[in-house]
Amino acid sequence: GKSGSELARGYDKRIFLVVFQCSSMPANDQFTFVDDNKPSFGERIWYFLNALLVVAPPVYLYHSVFGIDIEEMYWLYASVSILAAVILSTAHNNVAYWLRSRLEGHRDETVTHNMVAAANEGKKHKEKVQVEKKAQKKHTRSESYSFAILYNNFFFLFVFFVVGFYFFPNFPPVYNYAFSVLGSALLVSFVSHQSVKH
């Protein structure tokens, strides 16, 4: 077997490796997670694609009901849809961040060394605590994404129908479409921005 000094050196080496790995981790992977309101590239794409899906129904609606031809007015549909999707993407990110920051604040102490020990026959494992905290954070982010997209999409469609068919039904169809879609997207984005400020 190994001598006591060899075991001590091996133990010191493992401690050094653990400390080195923790200090070199990105901020979001450390034991205490750091979060901000800056979406990653993948999140931006995800928000934008979901926003495009919700601004697509107005295109069909104004084409079939108001007779705005898609081939003739493709530039209008494309520019309004893309701009509205970009605006809604910021709203998705704001609401997701707002909910995520509150959920993580409430759930911060749900995973503890004692809880992990209770689930592992009384053995406290720092690594398992860290793994559980990462899994919890990932689950919270997923919940926040889903809620933000669902909430903003319903909010956008509600405002769109109210603005387009209740307040300005007599507007020329082209202006009605542009104003209703962009105005609704801007209102959703404004409300989401206010929620982050508070």
Side-chain angles (χ1 to χ4, degrees):
K2 295 182 178 180
S3 65
S5 59
E6 290 176 335
L7 290 174
R9 284 196 296 270
Y11 182 73
D12 292 340
K13 184 178 181 181
R14 286 194 296 272
I15 291 177
F16 172 80
L17 289 175
V18 170
V19 172
F20 176 78
Q21 289 171 353
C22 290
S23 63
S24 61
M25 287 179 182
N28 287 343
D29 290 334
Q30 285 188 11
F31 205 70
T32 301
F33 295 110
V34 178
D35 200 359
D36 54 33
N37 196 24
K38 296 179 181 179
S40 65
F41 178 76
E43 289 173 336
R44 291 177 191 273
I45 297 298
W46 177 245
Y47 292 145
F48 181 75
L49 291 177
N50 280 278
L52 275 181
L53 290 177
V54 77
V55 299
V59 174
Y60 174 77
L61 185 63
Y62 277 81
H63 169 67
S64 59
V65 176
F66 294 98
I68 303 180
D69 187 67
I70 293 179
E71 293 184 0
E72 181 181 351
M73 303 295 291
Y74 71 90
W75 57 270
L76 173 68
Y77 286 127
S79 58
V80 170
S81 296
I82 292 174
L83 183 56
V86 171
I87 296 172
L88 285 176
S89 297
T90 63
H92 290 338
N93 181 62
N94 287 336
V95 174
Y97 171 75
W98 173 82
L99 180 61
R100 186 170 67 246
S101 61
R102 280 152 182 77
L103 287 178
E104 289 181 349
H106 287 294
R107 296 174 177 177
D108 188 46
E109 299 300 326
T110 57
V111 178
T112 63
H113 289 279
N114 291 332
M115 291 180 64
V116 172
N120 291 276
E121 300 178 351
K123 299 178 181 178
K124 294 184 178 181
H125 298 282
K126 183 176 180 180
E127 293 79 7
K128 288 188 177 181
V129 174
Q130 187 173 352
V131 169
E132 289 299 324
K133 280 185 175 287
K134 287 183 179 180
Q136 178 181 264
K137 182 179 176 68
K138 185 177 180 180
H139 182 68
T140 300
R141 293 181 77 91
S142 179
E143 286 180 322
S144 302
Y145 296 151
S146 300
F147 175 83
I149 292 170
L150 185 65
Y151 171 81
N152 284 330
N153 285 355
F154 275 110
F155 187 17
F156 168 81
L157 290 175
F158 173 77
V159 175
F160 164 74
F161 280 111
V162 170
V163 171
F165 295 92
Y166 183 76
F167 286 108
F168 305 104
N170 297 322
F171 263 36
V174 171
Y175 296 106
N176 187 310
Y177 166 73
F179 183 78
S180 299
V181 173
L182 292 178
S184 301
L186 286 171
L187 179 60
V188 173
S189 180
F190 173 77
V191 172
S192 71
H193 182 69
Q194 293 300 113
S195 69
V196 172
K197 289 174 62 177
H198 293 84

